[in-house]
Amino acid sequence: MHLGIDFGTTRTVVAYSDRGNFPVVAFTDEAGDAHEYLPAQVALTDDGLVCGFAARGAREQGFPVLRSIKRALASPAANVATRVSIGDAKVRLLDVLATYLAHVHSSLLESSTIAQLLQDDPITRVVVAVPAHANSAQRFLTLEAFRLAGFPVTAMMNEPSAAGFEYTHRLSRTPSARRSRLVVYDMGGGTFDASLVAINDRSHSVLGSVGINRLGGDDFDMALADLACELVGVGSDNLGLDGYFELLDEAQAVKEGLSPQSRRMVLEVSDRSVTVPVPTFYDRVTPLVEQSIQAMGPLVAGLDEGEPDLSEIAGFYLVGGASVLPLVPRLLRERFGRRVYRSPYPAASTAIGLAIAADPESGYTLSDRLSRGFGVFREADEGQRLHFDSIFNRDQQLETDTEVRVERRYRAAHNIGWYRFAEYADMVDGQPAGDIVPYEDVIVPFTSELQANGVDLGSVEVVRTGEAHWIEESYLIDRHGIVKVTISDLDTGYRQTHQLGVNHEQVVQPE
């Protein structure tokens, strides 16, 4: 069986391929009720970590819970050594992710609507998704967690790219020769992404992507919860962590029940009922939605000047669980008119698109691009200033079956090379700007003595040398957007390989 799995901030949604159809999988909770998702929650109990619906029940019993697991993964500093707090315990993030996804795997086999089918048709192909602006380490952690959980992952897609597949599958006649571009607006539980996609029948080419790492439905929930506390005159800190989490869950449920006709929302705060006028809530969260619209400036010509050019755009496609908030399509229609469409399956659109990609007979193809650039800071003018060398820019095209390699060769000028790598969202005047993710320095010895002795390179003084070995830097981006760096001394055979953000180093000594 072929699956598409959308591991979301608050929920995980799974779809599967069934003879040209792509149904969403339902899971049964402990009360026997079916839901087309699994909660993305992990609780720490006396018996260890429990996940999904069981984590919800554990929280009601007073056990600490990690709500919205994927928000921890969204941190720019996340790597394989990162630990997260669950109550008073510190647990490695990768272990939490793998435990949760292993729960997804077992739930598919034991308590899902396809459990019986999987007995005769086991899982053979899985396509998963990440935010379009996810950095290299976040992509690796996602793939590694799925691997540890036992899923045979065959591909990874950016979330809005997958939603573009669902759009074309459902509305194949909407794009035309004159208007062949689609803007996918993906407002999820914890992240916002948007991609500009050129569509030609079943061939999709991503022309650009933007994103905001911490903007989504969780922020709407917190805004509503805090507003309710203000109206009742109770500080959110006074509720305690468990009390505030309960209020957040209630805020999420009330928010998701809003319709365009809704005028008020009722919540319970400290055993007191409080009525929140919908216009007041909308005033509070309008800046968040406006922030997402402004972020699409690089994708829509003229948007920054207030006169967007829509001549080639077939539509704006709203997906992601947070896009169900009526305010979201309303504000976008005020800006872009009738070309704003909301998916009938906003929370499942990405999973459906992933299932389409997993089906080898679907005929859909994708040419994607990086949404973040990658480069290294170097010394210039004999150490008088720093220069940034952009290795891959954010428009670097990625194919599903090839890797991209860039090489640099030069004579070493010093006894040691310090490499300060970073991923970035934008370039301004030759320098990285916007959301910058720096990595730990990579230190490479450029002399035979230092390569052989295994000394602490961080304590060695950097000096100019006349030995001048030939050095090669090799940068490889795989089809998932993960960067690997190899730095070699061509004269001695010494080599270091790093997968950035993974705290992994492979050193090959000279023979």
Side-chain angles (χ1 to χ4, degrees), residues 127-150:
V127 179
V128 301
V130 291
H133 60 286
N135 64 42
S136 184
Q138 292 162 349
R139 292 171 186 270
F140 172 81
L141 286 169
T142 301
L143 280 177
E144 183 68 2
F146 272 99
R147 184 190 68 80
L148 292 171

Side-chain angles (χ1 to χ4, degrees), residues 492-494 509-511:
T492 67
Y494 179 89
Q509 301 288 352
E511 297 180 358

Side-chain angles (χ1 to χ4, degrees), residues 411-427:
R411 290 282 187 186
H414 300 86
N415 60 334
I416 288 175
W418 284 72
Y419 295 86
R420 299 170 175 89
F421 296 106
E423 290 186 278
Y424 59 91
D426 202 0
M427 288 283 286

Side-chain angles (χ1 to χ4, degrees), residues 340-451:
V340 175
Y341 311 100
R342 189 168 65 186
S343 170
Y345 320 104
S349 178
T350 295
I352 294 170
L354 294 170
I356 294 171
D359 181 0
E361 297 181 1
S362 70
Y364 280 71
T365 62
L366 174 70
S367 174
D368 213 334
R369 294 176 185 268
L370 290 177
S371 62
R372 306 175 60 83
F374 170 82
V376 57
F377 287 97
R378 303 183 188 277
E379 290 185 355
D381 297 336
E382 298 186 347
Q384 296 303 307
R385 66 181 181 88
L386 278 179
H387 163 72
F388 188 77
D389 180 11
S390 179
I391 308 297
F392 300 107
N393 63 43
R394 57 180 293 171
D395 294 323
Q396 173 65 54
Q397 189 166 322
L398 299 176
E399 302 294 346
T400 57
D401 56 351
T402 59
E403 299 173 328
V404 180
R405 186 184 300 272
V406 170
E407 294 181 350
R408 301 278 197 274
R409 288 188 180 186
Y410 51 87
R411 290 282 187 186
H414 300 86
N415 60 334
I416 288 175
W418 284 72
Y419 295 86
R420 299 170 175 89
F421 296 106
E423 290 186 278
Y424 59 91
D426 202 0
M427 288 283 286
V428 177
D429 297 329
Q431 295 296 316
D435 181 17
I436 301 173
V437 179
Y439 293 102
E440 293 183 3
D441 289 355
V442 171
I443 311 175
V444 182
F446 288 160
T447 68
S448 302
E449 293 77 15
L450 292 176
Q451 292 169 3

Side-chain angles (χ1 to χ4, degrees), residues 30-42:
E30 295 172 326
D33 296 325
H35 307 265
E36 291 187 336
Y37 64 88
L38 280 173
Q41 295 186 11
V42 172

Side-chain angles (χ1 to χ4, degrees), residues 55-371:
R56 283 186 175 179
R59 193 196 63 206
E60 294 174 358
Q61 299 174 36
F63 291 104
V65 66
L66 180 61
R67 187 179 187 268
S68 302
I69 306 168
K70 199 174 174 183
R71 274 228 153 160
L73 179 60
S75 169
N79 58 50
V80 294
T82 298
R83 293 183 176 271
V84 294
S85 297
I86 308 180
D88 295 329
K90 295 283 189 181
V91 186
R92 198 168 67 131
L93 173 60
L94 181 57
D95 294 335
V96 174
L97 297 172
T99 299
Y100 173 76
L101 291 173
H103 172 73
V104 175
H105 192 280
S106 62
S107 297
L108 283 165
L109 297 176
E110 300 168 6
S111 60
S112 76
T113 50
I114 61 171
Q116 188 69 34
L117 296 175
L118 289 174
Q119 293 183 14
D120 300 319
D121 187 10
I123 302 169
T124 55
R125 293 171 61 91
V126 175
V127 179
V128 301
V130 291
H133 60 286
N135 64 42
S136 184
Q138 292 162 349
R139 292 171 186 270
F140 172 81
L141 286 169
T142 301
L143 280 177
E144 183 68 2
F146 272 99
R147 184 190 68 80
L148 292 171
F151 285 106
V153 176
T154 56
M156 172 186 280
M157 294 179 67
N158 291 334
E159 291 166 358
S161 301
F165 276 17
E166 186 267 322
Y167 169 89
T168 306
H169 178 72
R170 195 174 59 84
L171 297 171
S172 59
R173 297 183 180 182
T174 302
S176 64
R178 189 166 66 91
R179 291 177 178 166
S180 61
R181 297 184 176 185
L182 176 72
V183 178
V184 180
Y185 176 102
D186 184 1
M187 180 72 81
T191 60
F192 167 73
D193 284 302
S195 290
L196 178 64
V197 184
I199 300 173
N200 180 14
D201 194 18
R202 298 185 182 187
S203 298
H204 289 212
S205 178
V206 177
L207 304 180
S209 295
V210 296
I212 302 175
N213 218 21
R214 295 185 67 86
L215 176 63
D218 279 1
D219 300 286
F220 297 158
D221 300 340
M222 286 186 281
L224 179 55
D226 293 345
L227 185 55
C229 289
E230 292 173 17
L231 292 175
V232 83
V234 174
S236 58
D237 294 342
N238 297 333
L239 300 178
L241 190 59
D242 289 341
Y244 188 63
F245 275 3
E246 289 180 8
L247 181 58
L248 285 175
D249 281 350
E250 185 180 0
Q252 179 184 353
V254 170
K255 177 202 69 180
E256 291 177 352
L258 286 175
S259 71
Q261 294 76 36
S262 299
R263 293 293 176 264
R264 61 177 185 164
M265 298 173 285
V266 180
L267 295 91
E268 295 291 325
V269 181
S270 295
D271 297 324
R272 296 170 60 183
S273 179
V274 56
T275 298
V276 178
V278 171
T280 303
F281 170 59
Y282 282 177
D283 287 343
R284 180 67 60 92
V285 298
T286 289
L288 298 176
V289 183
E290 290 289 351
Q291 185 182 357
S292 71
I293 296 174
Q294 292 167 8
M296 293 191 294
L299 307 181
V300 183
L303 179 59
D304 292 339
E305 292 75 31
E307 297 182 0
D309 179 4
L310 309 181
S311 58
E312 296 182 340
I313 295 178
F316 292 78
Y317 197 48
L318 276 54
V319 301
S323 70
V324 302
L325 185 70
L327 177 69
V328 174
R330 190 182 84 190
L331 291 180
L332 266 76
R333 288 188 179 115
E334 288 177 0
R335 196 70 57 92
F336 305 117
R338 294 183 177 181
R339 295 183 204 176
V340 175
Y341 311 100
R342 189 168 65 186
S343 170
Y345 320 104
S349 178
T350 295
I352 294 170
L354 294 170
I356 294 171
D359 181 0
E361 297 181 1
S362 70
Y364 280 71
T365 62
L366 174 70
S367 174
D368 213 334
R369 294 176 185 268
L370 290 177
S371 62

